[in-house]
């Protein structure tokens, strides 16, 4: 869509036809392109038109809603499989929650982007192979490699979802940047919907209890579980039809939280020596430390991805560069703690997996930080930051594949 808009930017008739054929897609693409087209008179006209038309809520077409509802029902049925087939819920959800979460989204974007068969086939094969593989692993509640395989399978399925969202074009930077930004938008859209659903649940159960009807079991097993399973695909569709709504909120959240998170991290690092907590000897604290690292990394990447459709302010770039630098320090502490535990207590699958993941994150952060410094020194542009951020993503996918497929066998399913 972006390339088509660029090609026909001076052809009003073609732009109108594009807009009428896919209003939400046109709006998203045009908003991303506007910073580079803002000096063209017809682009200024379209910017004003889209802003005016974007004041209302677009509920999309009936055909698209039918697809979304069908996918939501399929997700709900998948979440009910333990009851329908008499499968242990702990066994099922530990191994299959990623398929419930990501598969409907993958199918939706494969359909939305009209992926050709040669791209849909590997997506389908990888997904089906993952279902068979993870469910055939030996059942052992104490197996660390099983937990690692299930966790890293989420990364693999996230990568497959990204491939479908990007239209199968894994080398197209703009599409993968859009995917990274979409993850933040999905969180921004999904949380208030989930809160609203929670309020509706409380009110409904309370009202029925007042008249003496206990519907909690039925409501939980059917209404609530179907609603939770359908939440990602419903949120996705609302983002697709109303990008002007969530896009502004996402940019505000990223701009607001980045400096606050930077201050918090600095205070946190200073407070650690006084807290009595020690990542070198406290395993739970080390796990929390790594969870913090992943959250900060996600915010940095989400903020950088937002620059593709926002003005590039020097202050915001400074904050991101400083945040990346502090995150490198956090990663350094985590890495040193993992190396210490390996030297002190030996090799375990958990320690090797965390060590590998932290090394990849550290290298990625160093590369992104170097490019951000280059932007501040005016020796490069944000496109170089975006390029290094996106080009590194396949390494996470490859590492997740190695952990998922090899670790259970290398460590004897321990």
């Amino acid at each position: 869509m972006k390339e088509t808009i660029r090609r026909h930017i001076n052809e009003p008739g073609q732009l109108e036809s594009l807009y009428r054929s896919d209003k939400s897609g046109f709006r998203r693409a045009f908003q991303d392109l506007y910073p580079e087209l803002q000096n063209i008179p017809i682009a200024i006209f379209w910017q004003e038109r889209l802003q005016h038309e974007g004041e209302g809520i677009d509920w999309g077409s009936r055909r698209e809603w039918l697809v979304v509802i069908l996918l939501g029902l399929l997700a709900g049925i998948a979440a009910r499989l333990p009851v329908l087939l008499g499968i242990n819920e702990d066994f099922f959800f530990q191994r299959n929650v990623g398929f419930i979460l990501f598969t409907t989204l993958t199918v939706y974007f494969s359909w939305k982007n009209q992926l050709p068969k040669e791209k849909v086939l590997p997506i389908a094969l990888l997904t089906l192979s993952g279902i068979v593989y993870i469910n055939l692993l030996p059942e052992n509640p104490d197996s660390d490699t099983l937990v690692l395989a299930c966790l890293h399978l989420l990364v693999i399925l996230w990568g497959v979802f990204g491939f479908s969202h990007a239209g199968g074009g894994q080398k197209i930077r703009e599409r993968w940047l859009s995917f990274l930004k979409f993850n933040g938008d999905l969180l921004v859209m999904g949380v208030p919907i989930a809160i609203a659903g929670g309020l509706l649940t409380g009110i409904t159960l309370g009202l029925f209890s007042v008249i003496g009807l206990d519907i909690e079991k039925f409501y939980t097993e059917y209404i609530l579980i179907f609603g939770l399973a359908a939440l990602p695909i419903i949120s996705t569709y609302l983002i697709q039809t109303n990008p002007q709504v969530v896009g502004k909120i996402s940019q505000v959240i990223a701009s607001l939280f980045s400096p606050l998170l930077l201050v918090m991290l600095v205070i946190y690092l200073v407070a650690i020596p006084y807290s009595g907590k020690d990542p070198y000897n406290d395993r739970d604290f080390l796990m929390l430390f790594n969870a913090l690292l992943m959250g900060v990394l996600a915010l940095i990447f989400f903020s950088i991805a937002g620059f593709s459709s926002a003005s590039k302010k020097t202050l915001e770039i400074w904050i991101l560069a400083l945040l990346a630098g502090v995150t490198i320090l956090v990663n350094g502490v985590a890495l040193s703690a993992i190396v210490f535990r390996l030297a002190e207590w030996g090799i375990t699958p958990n320690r090797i997996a965390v060590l590998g993941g932290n090394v990849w994150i550290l290298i990625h952060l160093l590369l992104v930080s170097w490019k951000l410094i280059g932007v501040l020194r005016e020796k490069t542009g944000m496109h170089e930051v975006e390029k290094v951020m996106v080009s590194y993503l396949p390494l996470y996918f490859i590492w997740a594949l190695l952990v998922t497929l090899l670790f259970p066998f290398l460590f004897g399913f321990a």
Side-chain angles (χ1 to χ4, degrees):
M1 179 67 78
K2 289 181 184 178
E3 292 302 321
T4 308
I5 292 174
R6 279 196 190 100
R7 192 164 57 249
H8 299 290
I9 190 59
N10 290 311
E11 302 176 39
Q14 288 290 340
L15 292 178
E16 185 66 29
S17 297
L18 278 173
Y19 176 66
R20 295 190 180 189
S21 65
D22 184 2
K23 291 185 178 182
S24 60
F26 182 94
R27 184 182 291 115
R28 287 194 308 274
F30 187 85
Q31 291 300 329
D32 283 343
L33 283 173
Y34 186 67
E36 68 181 69
L37 304 176
Q38 56 187 341
N39 294 322
I40 301 175
I42 196 170
I44 298 173
F45 162 78
W46 273 99
Q47 176 72 356
E48 293 299 323
R49 175 179 175 181
L50 292 175
Q51 284 184 343
H52 177 73
E53 292 188 358
E55 293 175 359
I57 299 298
D58 182 3
W59 294 105
S61 67
R62 181 181 300 179
R63 175 170 172 264
E64 289 179 320
W65 267 111
L66 288 174
V67 173
V68 170
I69 291 171
L70 176 61
L71 290 173
L73 288 173
L74 290 175
I77 293 171
R80 289 283 296 163
L81 283 178
V83 175
L84 297 175
L85 302 179
I87 304 171
N88 180 273
E89 289 190 0
D90 292 336
F91 174 94
F92 178 83
F93 285 111
Q94 180 186 29
R95 300 169 189 241
N96 297 283
V97 66
F99 297 104
I100 298 172
L101 177 63
F102 291 118
T103 302
T104 52
L105 299 179
T106 301
V107 171
Y108 173 78
F109 280 106
S110 297
W111 169 76
K112 185 71 175 177
N113 292 325
Q114 298 180 339
L115 295 189
K117 291 180 180 179
E118 58 268 21
K119 291 181 178 178
V120 172
L121 185 59
I123 290 175
L125 287 176
L126 190 56
T127 302
L128 291 174
S129 300
I131 292 173
V132 173
Y133 170 78
I134 203 68
N135 285 285
L136 287 180
L137 287 178
E139 184 176 3
N140 179 4
D142 300 321
S143 173
D144 289 335
T145 55
L146 174 61
V147 174
L148 287 172
C150 293
L151 288 175
H152 285 78
L153 179 63
L154 295 176
V155 179
I156 297 171
L157 294 174
W158 178 77
V160 174
F161 163 42
F163 185 81
S164 68
H165 184 280
Q170 68 271 32
K171 293 184 180 180
I172 302 177
R173 186 181 74 239
E174 291 80 7
R175 292 182 177 181
W176 279 92
L177 278 171
S178 176
F179 171 65
L180 290 177
K181 185 178 183 300
F182 170 79
N183 283 266
D185 291 345
L186 185 59
L187 185 62
V188 170
M189 179 64 79
V191 168
I193 293 177
I195 292 173
L199 289 173
L200 177 63
T201 297
I203 292 171
T204 301
L205 295 180
L207 288 175
F208 275 90
S209 66
V210 167
I211 61 175
L213 293 177
D214 184 7
I215 65 167
E216 183 174 351
K217 187 174 185 298
F218 170 82
Y219 191 94
T220 301
E221 292 183 355
Y222 290 94
I223 308 299
L224 185 59
I225 196 168
F226 271 81
L228 288 173
L231 177 61
I233 188 65
I234 297 293
S235 301
T236 293
Y237 184 64
L238 292 176
I239 293 170
Q240 293 295 296
T241 53
N242 299 278
Q244 77 284 359
V245 176
V246 71
K248 294 179 181 178
I249 299 173
S250 299
Q251 289 176 18
V252 169
I253 290 176
S255 299
L256 178 65
F257 273 85
S258 295
L260 294 176
L261 186 58
L262 174 61
V263 173
M264 185 276 292
L265 276 179
V266 172
I267 296 173
Y268 184 70
L269 287 173
V270 173
I272 287 175
Y274 300 97
S275 68
K277 292 291 185 180
D278 180 6
Y280 296 89
N281 297 293
D282 190 330
R283 180 175 178 271
D284 292 336
F285 183 61
L286 179 58
M287 292 175 63
L288 180 62
F289 215 64
N290 276 282
L292 171 67
L293 176 64
M294 296 296 292
V296 177
L297 182 72
L299 180 62
I300 292 172
F301 287 178
F302 172 53
S303 299
I304 293 174
F307 277 129
S308 61
S309 59
S311 59
K312 303 170 179 60
K313 298 178 181 178
T314 303
L315 177 61
E316 292 181 347
I317 299 173
W318 264 110
I319 290 172
L320 286 176
L322 291 172
L323 185 57
V326 174
T327 309
I328 289 171
L329 290 178
V330 174
N331 197 327
V333 173
L335 266 176
S336 63
I338 297 164
V339 172
F340 171 80
R341 294 175 67 85
L342 280 168
E344 191 73 14
W345 295 295
I347 294 175
T348 66
N350 280 334
R351 290 171 194 152
I352 296 297
V354 175
L355 176 65
N358 275 266
V359 167
W360 296 130
I361 291 173
L362 177 61
I363 296 172
H364 202 181
L365 278 171
L366 287 170
L367 293 172
V368 170
S369 299
W370 179 253
K371 294 297 182 181
L372 283 172
I373 292 171
V375 173
L376 292 171
R377 296 173 64 189
E378 298 184 352
K379 290 189 174 182
T380 186
M382 280 301 296
H383 66 280
E384 288 295 326
V385 182
E386 298 166 353
K387 181 179 179 180
V388 75
M389 189 174 72
V390 169
S391 62
Y392 200 90
L393 292 178
L395 291 179
Y396 293 114
F397 185 81
I398 293 170
W399 176 247
L401 273 175
L402 291 175
V403 174
T404 303
L405 298 178
L406 296 184
F407 272 43
F409 299 94
L410 288 176
F411 294 95
F413 303 99

